[in-house]
Amino acid sequence: MGFVRNRTRLLRTLWRAGPVPFLALFAVRLAERLVPPLAALALAALVTEIAPPRPDGPELFTAALVPVLLLALVLLAGHLGESAAAPLEYLVKSRVDGAHRSRVARTAASAPGIAALESPEVRRLLREVRADPDHGVETTPGDGAVAVLKWLCGLLGAVVTCAILLRYAWWAVPLVLLPVIVNRALRFRQSSAVTDRWRLAIKGEMHADVWRNATVSPAEGKDVRIFGLTDWLVERMQGHIREANEPLWTHVTRVIRLQWLSAVLMVSGLLPVYLLVTADAVGGAATVTVQTAVLAAGWSLFQSLGSALELHHMAGAARVARSTYRLRALLAEPEAIGGDGRAEPGTAVPDRVRVIRFEGVRFVYPGTDREVLGGVDLEIRTDELLAVVGLNGAGKSTLIKLLSGLYRPTSGRITADGADIAEMDPVEWRTRLSVIFQDFNRYELSARENVLLGAAARDGTAPGRRGADEEADLRAAAADAGFAPVLERLPDGWETPLARSRTGGVDLSGGQWQQLTLTRALYAVRRGADLIVADEPTAHLDVRTEFELFGRLAERRRSTGIVLISHRLSTVRRADRIVLLEAGRITETGTHEELMERGGAYAEMFAVQARRFRTEEEDPA
Amino acid sequence: MRRYPSLWWEVLRLSWRTVPGYTAGTLGVIAASVVSVAAVGLTMRATLDATARGSLVTALVGAAGVALAYTLTLVVQDLTDDCVNTVADRTGRLGLHPAVHRDINSVEGLEHLERSDFLDRVSIVRRSTGEIARSAWNALLSLSNLLKLLVTVALLGSVHPLLLVLVLLAAVPIWCNHRGQLLVQRAEVAGAEPYRLQQHLFETVASAEGGKEVRTAGAADRLVALQEEAWDDAVRVRFRARVGAALWNAAGWTVFVAAFAGAIALVVYRASVGAGGVGDLVLTVMMAVSLRQTMQSTVAATVAAAGSRRVVEPYLWLRAYVRAQRERAVAADPPPPVLGRGLSLDRVDFTYPGTDRKALDGVTVDLPAGAVVAVVGEYGSGKTTLVKLLLALYEPDSGSVRLDGADLAGISVPAWRRRCSAVFQDFGRFRIRFGETVGIGDLPRIDDADALGAAVHAADAGGLVERLPEGMDSQLGRELGGTDLSEGQWQRTALARGSMRADPLLFVLDEPTASLDAHSEEAIFRRYADRARVYGKRTGAVTVVVSHRFSTVAGADLILVMDRGRIVESGDHRELLARGGTYAELYGIQARAYAPGSTG
């Protein structure tokens, strides 16, 4: 009985809106749904008063006054209920959706590794269950929840209508009700099929998204203009859209064509009862009261078992619920982190990590067969500046992902002061690290929040978390990262939102953002991180700023280790130790001088970069 | 407000061209809905009157009529929803969607993509083509509701002229509803900022890209808490407005129901003095009930219309903007087939719209035909702006860009662009097949294997192609079932794309190797330098390299040093070093860093 289970599940989600709005909405919807049968009853009462044989003159008028008032009251109740339903429904729906979105976000963040989030199926599911109607015509759990409530109230309305039919004859009830049930069951199946086909269209729509996004991106936009892509890309995009939606559209057209069947079912439900009750009324076997009530109320059964939209929303929300369940299962799987997922977190993280070792680490990205790392042995000390250099694709960024536990090694292990990090609580382990990714996050939040989020795990979630200490740490981190001058120019200092789309917000340049992420990292260090891991942290800075910044970073290396990934060998040479990563292995280790002396691949790389400078110097004009 | 009706008319015509069958069908269903309003009331009156008279056949025909009338009403109700949704969706996706994307992409400048207030509107429009199409059909539904009101009026008037007053009173709830909707509309705008914020936070937490740092920093709990806060902010504002609107509605309906009760009392009174009977009473009640339904759907349509302002206003703005841009771009002269003298900038001033600092300030410079020109300078000095003007992505505020002395403003932009190629610092990452992402650099040769191979070689991307699962046919982007590329690999796709065109007059490389390793950088620069020489000889092509890495520009024929929108030094490497200015200083910093024995 998936039908019943889905509905009870939807009803349960309603409780997330809070009992008061939920019960209020229930009451209001019920009042609204009782209007058609009750209005029919009031009308019938009125007809009884004025149908012949009837008293004449003022007696009639006074006798009819009660049903008139009754009718007015019923209608008024309906209208007031409807007015109240709008805000209540909005509140309930929004609360359900808000709670759902938070849960989905938490679920997405709950997998310790990143492999699952990178898988195409998870991405598709996330898109399907994100419950963001701003982004399209998707059905949300909130839609489903309020629809199921409306539907339930409709059922209660139907009970009253059936009672009216019962006053005429018992067999009138099944006579009307059967076609109603067939009709709605048909419609519900069609709605489910529409939802299924809509899901199938998502994949093609994602291909179309490439061009949709290119249309509003200044980066892709430049290529589009220089290379004259407009017509080609529009054709391409529309091709994807047509191809993806064809099955959906064919089905929708069929559903619409099938409306004649609905019409036939309605006529077959209403016609016999309406004819019989009229014949009986003319013949005197039934009163005109019963006749009026049956005629006025009978049809509403076809409405009370759910409108097309309600059915569509219920079907859609049930689908979202199933997909959310599937998403949660996928993210909880052990391979969500990659590797063999063997160990349960059990080992304590050392208070102050001194040495991290990669021991024979091999790594293959899930779903591929190329070995990115092929047996890496590497020691990282938290009192030195270690530079990792290598060609593009040598595996440098993968090294960071393994170190921070976003993936687990396919074989081999990574230890911190001797203990395998795979056996540690990943959240706890990561508080010892401060990672600057090449594509770092640019939160559309205040400058303060942007920095604080670097050490969120330690600071907790309360706003204004740490008072005066926080201020001091922020100020010191900003000064160290060279962010202070940028900060001074922000209109509202630390509280300035870093996005122009926010009120009073500003956009930072690429270089300014890099200074902010360094502030973020240095703040994390002040909050207890032992090691900074930075992937090309100065690529967008100009020569002078990069030079100064590196100096400041290098000064702290006795208290905090630094792993620096960079192509700029002029920067790298000042490191305590340099390792060269080549085709997934470490092939050279040593100081700049040692490596230059050795005359290997590093020396060659350095020579290539230095050549132009050197030829000029050796050639004094 | 003539803009809206003419837009709606246009959308309806577009519907007709896009999905003629559906458009006709939907119009038919809407017409049927007007007819169905009268059907129930009239058949009910006939049935009950015949029953009272005891005339069996008439009563039975009437009862069958009632059944059919209700069926018609119900089916038309369902069909109206289905048809309007479908026709609006398909007109949106198949008609407006391509048109809007074509419009946005065919604007030759970049202002609408780089100014955030413009980009906001553009983004709304391209997401909302379905809603825009829907707004036209909502307008039509409103019109049909007006017709329904007229039909209702006529029928009520046939019972007693005094009942026409009911129609006047129907204006009260409609007016009240309008007042309430103004509140709701304002709240939509007020809630938009927190709503967008929670969208951004959700996408950050739930994406693989943002998820990396969210995990390493342990930021998920805080971010989700902020997301919830922003969501609640948006909902609170919008809920309050809806409560206000509900109060207006309740007031309006109370007035109307009171009037309605009066109307029925009037009919009952007439019955009590012997005029009219059961039939009239039933007709009145039925019409009043359907009046209520008509008003409800009028109200729903006005709500939808009010909501569609949010998307229609930006759409109208975009159309006006596109039209204005097209009118400006009337130049039709072709560019010269080869450059004899070269490109030049003559006293060019430029300020980005919406900012107040000059990005270029009186720039005058000659870029000789056949030369490799390097532009260096610190961040924000105007390097990229300079090349954007050369590529006609922006027009100078004053002064001119000249090709062999002819003003670029007089030359057809598409024709000029066909003779340009460029690799930008923030290049496009097109998640399509690898061969295509290169081949779109020269669309006519997108399938030309030799051209693709040469471009891949020029970008030193041969190794990358070998490692892709299906070589040139590999789909890019894991979310699309393909392969993800690293930053450096993406950069190679852009470089290869930039090498597709065979005979450019202008070739721009804007920080083209920021993410590449030393070997590739060296190899690529050597190849590009050779290429520049070949092009230069063949067509007098100018190659412009933008960089803040001095090692990459020393070999250029001409080096321009920029600072705060001005060219402060120019000459070749040797001249600039001898001069001992900014170039010499910044070059010195980098040279020392590579000097043997130096540790900084």
Side-chain angles (χ1 to χ4, degrees), chain B residues 18 29 94 96 138 175 204 215 247 312 324 330 364 542 595:
Chain B
T18 316
V29 169
L94 296 174
L96 271 176
N138 279 337
W175 181 79
T204 305
R215 281 170 174 71
L247 291 175
V312 171
V330 287
T364 299
V542 177

Side-chain angles (χ1 to χ4, degrees), chain A residues 245-513:
Chain A
N245 289 291
E246 201 50 59
L248 174 65
W249 289 346
T250 319
H251 181 77
V252 167
T253 303
R254 205 164 55 229
V255 169
I256 290 178
R257 291 226 175 103
L258 265 176
Q259 277 291 336
W260 67 264
L261 195 61
S262 254
V264 168
L265 282 167
M266 285 179 197
V267 172
S268 68
L270 295 179
L271 197 59
V273 174
Y274 279 22
L275 288 177
L276 287 168
V277 78
T278 303
D280 282 351
V282 174
T287 63
V288 71
T289 316
V290 168
Q291 183 201 13
T292 311
V294 168
L295 289 184
W299 66 281
S300 70
L301 271 183
F302 278 95
Q303 242 185 355
S304 56
L305 291 195
S307 72
L309 191 67
E310 284 158 32
L311 294 179
H312 173 73
H313 279 165
M314 284 191 282
R319 184 79 250 177
V320 170
R322 278 200 296 281
S323 295
T324 310
Y325 187 74
R326 167 98 185 117
L327 181 70
R328 214 170 298 144
L330 279 177
L331 287 168
E333 272 172 18
E335 57 262 37
I337 192 169
D340 52 9
R342 71 227 128 156
E344 287 297 308
T347 310
V349 182
D351 275 339
R352 168 90 172 82
V353 178
R354 294 184 193 285
V355 186
I356 299 165
R357 279 201 187 83
F358 280 63
E359 298 171 10
V361 168
R362 292 173 181 276
F363 184 70
V364 178
Y365 277 101
T368 66
D369 46 16
R370 197 173 72 86
E371 201 172 60
V372 181
L373 297 180
V376 169
D377 291 298
L378 172 66
E379 185 181 284
I380 300 168
R381 308 190 55 84
T382 58
D383 58 358
E384 64 169 7
L385 200 167
L386 173 74
V388 180
V389 300
L391 302 183
N392 289 129
K396 302 188 295 293
S397 300
T398 308
L399 217 56
I400 298 187
K401 289 187 192 162
L402 291 176
L403 177 61
S404 50
L406 293 174
Y407 281 101
R408 284 187 191 169
T410 312
S411 70
R413 56 182 211 147
I414 303 169
T415 61
D417 292 348
D420 193 339
I421 64 165
E423 289 166 15
M424 297 174 186
D425 173 21
V427 175
E428 184 73 20
W429 164 240
R430 287 172 188 151
T431 61
R432 306 296 194 272
L433 306 177
S434 172
V435 186
I436 304 175
F437 290 98
Q438 221 172 342
D439 55 340
F440 51 83
N441 286 351
R442 300 167 186 221
Y443 301 111
E444 291 173 11
L445 298 165
S446 65
R448 172 189 300 274
E449 203 65 66
N450 260 294
V451 173
L452 291 180
L453 280 166
R458 278 184 189 256
D459 287 353
T461 59
R465 291 151 258 186
R466 295 176 46 236
D469 288 353
E470 182 178 292
E471 285 303 323
D473 283 344
L474 279 175
R475 208 168 311 127
D480 286 348
F483 187 64
V486 179
L487 198 61
E488 272 165 31
R489 268 177 286 147
L490 293 179
D492 202 9
W494 281 113
E495 311 311 325
T496 313
L498 301 185
R500 246 170 69 175
S501 58
R502 303 276 316 271
T503 312
V506 294
D507 283 339
L508 296 187
S509 73
Q512 290 170 331
W513 268 113

